Amino acid sequence: MASLVRRLTWSSQNRPRQTGPINDNPDNVIKKGQLKKKGHMRRNWLNRYFVLSQEGLHYYRDDVAYSLNPSKPQGSVTLFGCSVKEDLFQRHENVFSIFSADGKDFHMQASSKDEMLEWINHIDRISKIKLQQRRKTGDTLGEAAVLFETPRARAHSSDGSFRVQATPPDEP
């Protein structure tokens, strides 16, 4: 009996944490709406319901899934240290891409150019706020993310040219 209790305790402690929104207050949500997201495995475009808040960008299968259980998103995008740009390399129109600091690329398609620019501006603003918050708290990870950005995030500039700095600048 004791070994069963020990196993159950161990498995519950090692369970992955939910990455959903911490605060489901409607005032906390900055933007929400339907976007098409390019899949990572099959590379097909699927409709997803996105919710942008101070905690991050989360996506759900649809708006019903969000309304039933907003604390359990289908996936999340890390916005700290990310780069967001209009993606001119895709075949579709109104596509923007988020290049996260952890090396993942997310490609989304909005229904119009105006909506795409709105999403880009909001995501970029949240990313900068998160970086400033880390700097204010004295978190060294925030400084490291600035110095050692992922080359993939820095490689994509707004005009489509590539400018990658392979090594960080030397410190005195």
Side-chain angles (χ1 to χ4, degrees):
M1 181 69 175
S3 64
L4 178 62
V5 171
R6 194 172 25 241
R7 266 188 273 157
L8 289 174
T9 305
W10 183 84
S11 65
S12 66
Q13 290 171 349
N14 293 319
R15 200 173 295 148
R17 288 183 292 144
Q18 287 294 331
T19 59
I22 297 166
N23 184 0
D24 190 37
N25 183 354
D27 299 332
N28 192 33
V29 173
I30 296 167
K31 184 164 179 61
K32 56 185 173 180
Q34 197 81 24
L35 295 170
K36 286 189 177 183
K37 178 186 163 296
K38 190 173 187 178
H40 283 99
M41 299 299 280
R42 288 189 170 176
R43 310 302 286 169
N44 55 343
W45 292 88
L46 296 170
N47 286 323
R48 295 289 177 246
Y49 190 75
F50 283 83
V51 178
L52 177 65
S53 67
Q54 292 290 340
E55 282 81 26
L57 180 64
H58 307 282
Y59 58 93
Y60 303 82
R61 190 169 299 281
D62 52 26
D63 58 338
V64 175
Y66 170 68
S67 60
L68 289 175
N69 199 350
S71 65
K72 291 194 179 182
Q74 187 172 0
S76 298
V77 180
T78 304
L79 296 182
F80 171 71
C82 78
S83 172
V84 59
K85 306 276 185 214
E86 180 178 4
D87 195 342
L88 303 173
F89 299 109
Q90 298 290 331
R91 287 188 240 163
H92 303 285
E93 293 181 349
N94 309 320
V95 174
F96 65 96
S97 297
I98 300 174
F99 305 98
S100 67
D102 57 3
K104 293 182 182 175
D105 298 351
F106 295 88
H107 306 283
M108 277 78 77
Q109 180 184 24
S111 59
S112 69
K113 180 99 173 167
D114 291 337
E115 184 184 2
M116 177 192 68
L117 293 174
E118 239 181 89
W119 278 102
I120 289 173
N121 290 333
H122 287 304
I123 291 169
D124 191 46
R125 186 170 52 88
I126 293 297
S127 175
K128 288 176 181 172
I129 288 171
K130 286 188 168 291
L131 186 61
Q132 288 173 353
Q133 287 172 345
R134 289 251 175 123
R135 284 182 176 162
K136 284 180 184 175
T137 61
D139 187 356
T140 56
L141 180 62
E143 293 300 320
V146 173
L147 292 175
F148 302 101
E149 283 182 286
T150 59
R152 295 166 48 142
R154 287 186 284 133
H156 298 275
S157 64
S158 58
D159 62 355
S161 64
F162 290 91
R163 45 184 180 79
V164 177
Q165 180 182 348
T167 58
D170 292 334
E171 292 185 25

